[in-house]
């Protein structure tokens, strides 16, 4: 497939690109700062780099030409805490991306989310409630942006074939095995490797098991 990857210069995004290339896909990466990509990726003929802003419709349209699916590792950096913007910038970017996806007839969206995005299938979990509350209190603007992203994909993007891949605390472990389910189901746990996120996201291109859903995935 020909894939557009968003958030490609971050830790999860780089793993998405790597996983996509290993699976034989070609990749378009829309980034503000191409220099943040490793030299090996900037010179890879299977990767097309489009430089620009996600809020620029023309740039997003250029990146979406001939694309079969969009995979996103976009997420607000919680570590910015109170310094993260309050105007939900990533949700605004997603609004443009979804609008242009519809224009170009691209239906499949696989997007990074977190436990802050609620789902009707979730049950009560003390551990996850504490995690979400911590983010909501100490990184409130990032929390608002994540919640807004979930609402946008389910609202404006309702006609898309989307999967919101919700993640707990991310680690740099190399293990790719994941458990997929919902908060409080007794299966999912509070940690996940970034490699597991990338692997699971790519697997969704050839599976409709989680299409239209928002699973929480974790390491076993």
């Amino acid at each position: 497939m020909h894939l557009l990857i968003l958030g490609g210069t971050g830790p999860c995004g780089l793993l998405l690109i790597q996983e996509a290339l290993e699976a034989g896909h070609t990749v378009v990466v829309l980034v503000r700062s191409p220099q943040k990509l490793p030299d090996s990726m900037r010179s890879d003929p299977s990767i097309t780099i489009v430089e620009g802003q996600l809020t620029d419709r023309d740039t997003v349209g250029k990146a979406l030409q001939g694309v079969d699916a969009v995979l996103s590792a976009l997420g607000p950096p919680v570590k910015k805490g109170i310094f993260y913007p309050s105007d939900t910038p990533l949700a605004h970017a997603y609004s443009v991306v979804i609008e242009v996806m519809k224009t170009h007839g691209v239906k499949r969206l696989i997007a990074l989310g977190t436990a802050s995005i609620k789902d009707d299938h979730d049950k009560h979990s003390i551990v996850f409630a504490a995690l979400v509350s911590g983010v909501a209190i100490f990184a409130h603007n990032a929390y608002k942006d994540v919640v807004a992203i979930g609402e946008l994909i389910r609202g404006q993007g309702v006609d898309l074939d989307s999967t919101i891949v919700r993640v707990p605390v991310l680690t740099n472990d190399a293990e790719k095995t994941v458990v997929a389910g919902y908060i409080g189901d007794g299966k999912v746990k509070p940690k996940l490797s970034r490699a597991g996120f990338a692997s699971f996201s790519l697997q969704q291109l050839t599976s409709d098991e989680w299409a239209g859903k928002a699973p929480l995935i974790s390491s076993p």
Side-chain angles (χ1 to χ4, degrees), residues 11 19 46 54 60 62 79 125 145 162 167 181 184 218:
E19 196 79 19
S46 295
L54 282 170
V60 176
K62 178 182 176 182
K79 63 184 179 181
S125 163
D145 208 1
S162 65
V167 303
S218 77

Side-chain angles (χ1 to χ4, degrees), residues 32-81:
R32 288 180 299 178
S33 307
Q35 67 274 15
K36 291 184 179 180
L37 291 168
D39 291 342
S40 59
M41 288 185 178
R42 292 205 301 269
S43 61
D44 193 314
S46 295
I47 299 176
T48 301
I49 299 171
V50 176
E51 182 177 358
Q53 300 282 348
L54 282 170
T55 50
D56 186 305
R57 285 169 176 77
D58 291 339
T59 299
V60 176
K62 178 182 176 182
L64 277 168
Q65 291 288 342
V67 160
D68 299 301
V70 176
L71 289 90
S72 174
L74 292 171
V78 173
K79 63 184 179 181
K80 282 193 174 182

Side-chain angles (χ1 to χ4, degrees), residues 40-220:
S40 59
M41 288 185 178
R42 292 205 301 269
S43 61
D44 193 314
S46 295
I47 299 176
T48 301
I49 299 171
V50 176
E51 182 177 358
Q53 300 282 348
L54 282 170
T55 50
D56 186 305
R57 285 169 176 77
D58 291 339
T59 299
V60 176
K62 178 182 176 182
L64 277 168
Q65 291 288 342
V67 160
D68 299 301
V70 176
L71 289 90
S72 174
L74 292 171
V78 173
K79 63 184 179 181
K80 282 193 174 182
I82 61 172
F83 300 105
Y84 187 79
S86 62
D87 58 350
T88 60
L90 289 182
H92 287 301
Y94 264 107
S95 179
V96 173
V97 170
I98 289 172
E99 176 189 326
V100 183
M101 282 179 69
K102 291 180 178 180
T103 301
H104 285 258
V106 180
K107 298 282 287 184
R108 191 70 172 113
L109 171 63
I110 300 163
L112 172 70
T114 74
S116 296
I117 299 173
K118 292 178 171 48
D119 190 275
D120 290 342
H121 295 88
D122 291 338
K123 298 176 182 177
H124 180 65
S125 163
I126 293 175
V127 173
F128 279 96
L131 286 173
V132 172
S133 295
V135 174
I137 293 169
F138 297 107
H140 185 66
N141 289 339
Y143 168 83
K144 278 201 317 180
D145 208 1
V146 169
V147 172
I149 288 168
E151 292 173 346
L152 196 84
I153 292 174
R154 288 166 166 163
Q156 183 185 347
V158 67
D159 296 328
L160 299 180
D161 182 14
S162 65
T163 300
I164 302 174
V165 183
R166 297 184 296 159
V167 303
V169 177
L170 292 169
T171 73
N172 290 321
D173 190 80
E175 177 58 53
K176 294 182 179 181
T177 304
V178 306
V179 174
Y182 293 97
I183 293 172
D185 64 3
K187 297 189 302 181
V188 296
K189 298 180 180 179
K191 289 189 178 181
L192 169 73
S193 70
R194 290 180 173 86
F197 162 76
S199 177
F200 180 85
S201 296
L202 264 292
Q203 290 170 21
Q204 303 319 298
L205 293 171
T206 54
S207 170
D208 60 2
E209 179 182 2
W210 296 103
K213 300 176 182 178
L216 190 293
I217 67 172
S218 77
S219 297

